[in-house]
């Protein structure tokens, strides 16, 4: 997996991390990320999906319900969150690769409260894998990699490869959290 920690700490540029990465590598990285998360959930049950973990650092200022701002995310919540972010990054990257000007977000997230089974989590991950990989088929043979955007205030400027990889980076930032939720659920 790509290590974006140097980018987040200001020690490397996103171009440094993505040197040599093209569409083929983005496919491999997407499969690796999905397989990693599925591997973490391999022995999980439905009870593990809805288990309410303890997370003293829980802080979601973007929560739909104000009462959920400090709610620790269960496994179902984490799965729908990382898949929605990956899909958004993939969709916007496909537009960038085709020369479409940035026009805002492209996000759709399954309501986490509806995900209650391990099969729903696995299905959501496989569906997201399919969608992200399919988005790469929308890239032209000669993608526009010269155009760059800043997807959000604290982000560096990036091209379509960078934009796609931000979904992978975001998912990677939640891997330890997913492992901890599974650990707590299994210890319960």
């Amino acid at each position: 997996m790509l290590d974006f920690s140097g980018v987040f700490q200001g020690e490397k540029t996103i171009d440094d991390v993505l040197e040599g990465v093209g569409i083929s590598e983005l496919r491999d990285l997407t499969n690796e990320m999905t397989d990693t998360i599925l591997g973490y959930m391999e022995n999980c049950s439905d009870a593990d999906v809805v288990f309410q973990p303890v997370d003293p650092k829980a802080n979601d200022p973007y929560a739909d319900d104000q009462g959920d701002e400090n709610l620790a995310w269960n496994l179902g919540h984490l799965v729908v969150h990382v898949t929605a972010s990956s899909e958004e990054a993939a969709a916007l990257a496909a537009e960038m690769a085709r020369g479409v000007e940035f026009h805002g977000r492209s996000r759709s997230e399954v309501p986490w409260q509806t995900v209650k089974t391990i099969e729903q989590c696995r299905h959501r991950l496989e569906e997201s894998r399919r969608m992200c990989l399919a988005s790469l088929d929308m890239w032209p043979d000669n993608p526009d990699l010269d155009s760059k955007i800043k997807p959000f205030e604290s982000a560096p400027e990036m091209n379509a490869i960078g934009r796609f990889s931000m979904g992978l980076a975001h998912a990677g930032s939640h891997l330890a959290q997913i492992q901890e939720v599974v650990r707590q659920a299994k210890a319960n």
Side-chain angles (χ1 to χ4, degrees), residues 33-49:
M33 182 61 70
T34 304
D35 291 342
T36 297
I37 296 171
L38 286 167
Y40 292 164
M41 299 179 350
E42 187 174 22
N43 297 314
C44 288
S45 67
D46 293 348
D48 298 330
V49 172

Side-chain angles (χ1 to χ4, degrees), residues 60 62-70 113:
D60 182 8
Y62 304 107
D64 289 337
D65 183 347
Q66 205 172 25
D68 289 346
E69 286 182 6
N70 299 110
Q113 300 89 337

Side-chain angles (χ1 to χ4, degrees), residues 127-174:
E127 180 179 50
S128 183
R129 178 199 318 248
R130 176 182 52 79
M131 292 165 66
C132 290
L133 292 174
S135 77
L136 293 169
D137 288 335
M138 293 177 61
W139 289 39
D141 292 339
N142 295 303
D144 178 354
L145 299 179
D146 293 328
S147 296
K148 294 189 175 192
I149 64 158
K150 260 184 102 137
F152 49 91
E153 178 99 17
S154 62
E157 282 195 332
M158 62 190 70
N159 65 13
I161 291 172
R163 187 66 186 103
F164 187 101
S165 70
M166 289 310 296
L168 296 167
H170 181 261
S173 75
H174 285 287

Side-chain angles (χ1 to χ4, degrees), residues 50-106:
V50 296
F51 171 77
Q52 186 58 53
V54 174
D55 183 356
K57 297 182 207 169
N59 179 25
D60 182 8
Y62 304 107
D64 289 337
D65 183 347
Q66 205 172 25
D68 289 346
E69 286 182 6
N70 299 110
L71 179 69
W73 290 1
N74 66 24
L75 188 56
H77 196 154
L78 284 162
V79 166
V80 301
H81 177 75
V82 299
T83 56
S85 295
S86 293
E87 292 156 20
E88 178 180 25
L92 292 172
E95 288 190 347
M96 286 182 71
R98 293 174 24 246
V100 176
E101 284 191 41
F102 181 66
H103 54 81
R105 298 194 70 180
S106 181

Side-chain angles (χ1 to χ4, degrees), residues 21-37:
V21 173
I23 292 175
S24 177
E25 289 78 15
L26 292 175
R27 287 182 196 288
D28 293 344
L29 291 162
T30 297
N31 284 319
E32 182 182 23
M33 182 61 70
T34 304
D35 291 342
T36 297
I37 296 171

